[in-house]
Amino acid sequence: VQLQASGGGLVQAGGSLRLSCAASGSIFSINNMAWERQRPGAEREMVASITSGGITQYWNPVKGRFTISRNNEKKMVYLQMNSLKPDDTAVYYCNAEVVEQRGLLPINYWGQGTLVTVSS
């Protein structure tokens, strides 16, 4: 199973970016999907998550600015980021809880990360 994240880049404060992440490989189903980030000099932190049924959760600092969504048929998860701040500068990682075959336990996979830089 591979997760491929894309959509990062350089944006000015107040701007928007949309991250995408595609899952591929031996996949029977995907449970939770999520976005995490690692800011310079900091620990990795959860940003947002979404269940297979579409229930979302957000880390408080991004509530009201970021929106997570997914397309189950395409095995993709997205992160729409609006009103970006310099403090949002980080490498963003997608995460998926994948069931590779019916009856197996889910396994967590992470993408390679995509860099988001917000200039002031």
Side-chain angles (χ1 to χ4, degrees):
V1 175
Q2 289 188 328
L3 298 183
Q4 181 69 44
S6 61
L10 174 64
V11 64
Q12 287 190 328
S16 298
L17 279 177
R18 187 188 192 220
L19 305 183
S20 300
C21 177
S24 62
S26 176
I27 298 173
F28 173 74
S29 65
I30 303 176
N31 296 341
N32 287 356
M33 302 184 84
W35 288 94
E36 302 173 358
R37 72 184 185 187
Q38 188 162 18
R39 293 182 282 182
E43 299 287 322
R44 192 178 294 195
E45 56 202 11
M46 178 67 70
V47 174
S49 66
I50 184 168
T51 68
S52 57
I55 297 172
T56 58
Q57 286 189 314
Y58 296 93
W59 185 50
N60 282 338
V62 308
K63 277 184 180 177
R65 300 189 298 122
F66 291 10
T67 301
I68 188 171
S69 60
R70 63 190 282 175
N71 183 315
N72 290 332
E73 279 192 25
K74 294 184 177 180
K75 300 183 179 62
M76 294 194 69
V77 63
Y78 308 95
L79 187 67
Q80 178 66 43
M81 305 185 294
N82 299 329
S83 303
L84 282 161
K85 306 174 182 179
D87 201 40
D88 294 317
T89 294
V91 177
Y92 285 73
Y93 299 90
C94 56
N95 164 253
E97 197 177 64
V98 175
V99 177
E100 296 185 0
Q101 294 182 37
R102 183 190 294 273
L104 294 182
L105 292 174
I107 300 172
N108 267 305
Y109 288 94
W110 280 266
Q112 83 287 1
T114 184
L115 177 63
V116 172
T117 304
V118 184
S119 63
S120 56

